[in-house]
Amino acid sequence: MAGMVLACNIHITWYLWGEFLVIPFNRPYMTGNEHMYIDQAHSNRKLAGDGMFTNNCHNWLEINTDSKKALLTHSCTAALEMAAILADIQPGDEVILPSYTFVSTANAFVLRGAVPVFVDIRPDTLNIDEKLIEAAITPRTKAIVPVHYAGVGCEMDTIMEIAGRHDLLVIEDAAQAVMSTYKGRALGSIGHMGAYSFHETKNVISGEGGALLINDERFIERAEVIREKGTNRSRFYRGEVDKYTWIDIGSSYLPSEIIAAFLWAQLQDAENITAERLKIWDEYHYALADFEEQGRLRRPIIPEHIQHNAHMYYVLLNSLDERTEVIDRLKKRGINAVFHYVPLHSAPGGMKFGRAHGSMKHTEDLSDRLLRLPLWVGMHETETICAAMFS
Ligand SMILES: Cc1ncc(COP(=O)(O)O)c(C=O)c1O
């Protein structure tokens, strides 16, 4: 029975099974206040979206990111879909993005009929190579979608400058970047719009959840309508109109108050969560320095002007075979380390809906060699994990 439970929950459970220690890749962190706030939402008898807890989260996000407007959504995917509608993406339009990303970065735009145009990544940060963007622009290009991989910012100054010159929108996929900054500005708040994820695998969580940050005032009013099934219900709630009605396309993108109550507990603790994660990240970085020196792996590179949020600790092994060996070695010790994205340009969906612009050599090479190590608040096993990688 214990064996069955272990097999089912190896990714999410951490406990001693006899002498066998299982270290999961991720373990969602709870602040301790989630139940209290959910109970409060229950007592308030306000369970649909946009109640007190949603407002608290909106205010927190606006204050802490300096964004003009924050709107909770039920996922980052939903926030990206809203952004694609707001960007007025039409069939045949093109959107420039990295291939080394999650499927939603592309799919949100493909749903509107756009063609994702994939550009290679930088070998240092694994973010879109800003120097390759301009050559991928065509008369059909509508937007650039930088993805801040591992919560480390893309070169936003260059990207914004290119977008400005070509009259393009920038939609930041900041799914992994809550609490990260670029030159002191919150990631997600620099482009015209930005999307956060609060999925349980992220730093600040609500199970499923997300937010759209709107940094260009032009989009605020329409965003509220799209999020509320294409109606002006948000204005009705504020008493600005005496009835609400259907005025645009839209869907149901807002989460319930139960989700917002959970998220409120997490946002209040976001600084502590980030500090705890950074400590673990730093421990890995220190412990792995010798292996880097010996040429066995490469550690993450964080540019000076970027403050990351320790969303992820990854290493780059020397080859796919070496990565497989390290994964197997760690697995035998009960340590769950995982690779990441299969590049989108090589996936069936990517080949059907998108196209690669130029060589994808870094995307293909690095995706084969990248390994993510366990990182969650409360873990104390960084040294054990590092020691187990090559022995
Ligand atoms: C870069 C990126 N974009 C988008 C998403 C989608 O986030 P969600 O699960 O909140 O829809 C993820 C999820 O991992 C992601 O890593």
Side-chain angles (χ1 to χ4, degrees), residues 326-338:
V326 174
I327 291 176
D328 288 348
R329 211 174 286 132
L330 292 175
K331 202 188 241 165
K332 285 198 187 105
R333 314 264 174 93
I335 299 162
N336 194 221
V338 294

Side-chain angles (χ1 to χ4, degrees), residues 148 156-157 160 170 172 181-183 185-193 215:
H148 306 302
M156 290 308 293
D157 279 353
M160 295 308 289
V170 174
E172 295 176 71
T181 59
Y182 170 86
K183 298 188 178 172
R185 297 172 70 190
L187 293 179
S189 75
I190 302 168
H192 300 84
M193 293 174 251
N215 311 314

Side-chain angles (χ1 to χ4, degrees), residues 376-388:
W376 36 271
V377 175
M379 66 172 278
H380 301 284
E381 293 82 8
T382 48
E383 276 186 35
T384 313
I385 294 167
C386 297

Side-chain angles (χ1 to χ4, degrees), residues 58 72 173 386:
H58 286 173
L72 291 195
D173 183 337
C386 297

Side-chain angles (χ1 to χ4, degrees), residues 75-77 80 101-102 104-105 147 173 175-176 197 199 202 209 341:
S75 62
C76 179
T77 302
L80 290 167
T101 182
F102 191 68
S104 299
T105 319
V147 178
D173 183 337
Q176 304 171 9
S197 174
H199 186 266
K202 302 301 184 297
Y341 309 126

Side-chain angles (χ1 to χ4, degrees), residues 23-26 277 280 284 313 330 334-338 372-376 379 381-382 385:
I23 304 173
F25 172 67
N26 179 51
R277 293 185 72 99
I280 300 164
Y284 271 131
Y313 198 91
L330 292 175
I335 299 162
N336 194 221
V338 294
R372 294 178 292 160
L373 302 177
L375 199 172
W376 36 271
M379 66 172 278
E381 293 82 8
T382 48
I385 294 167

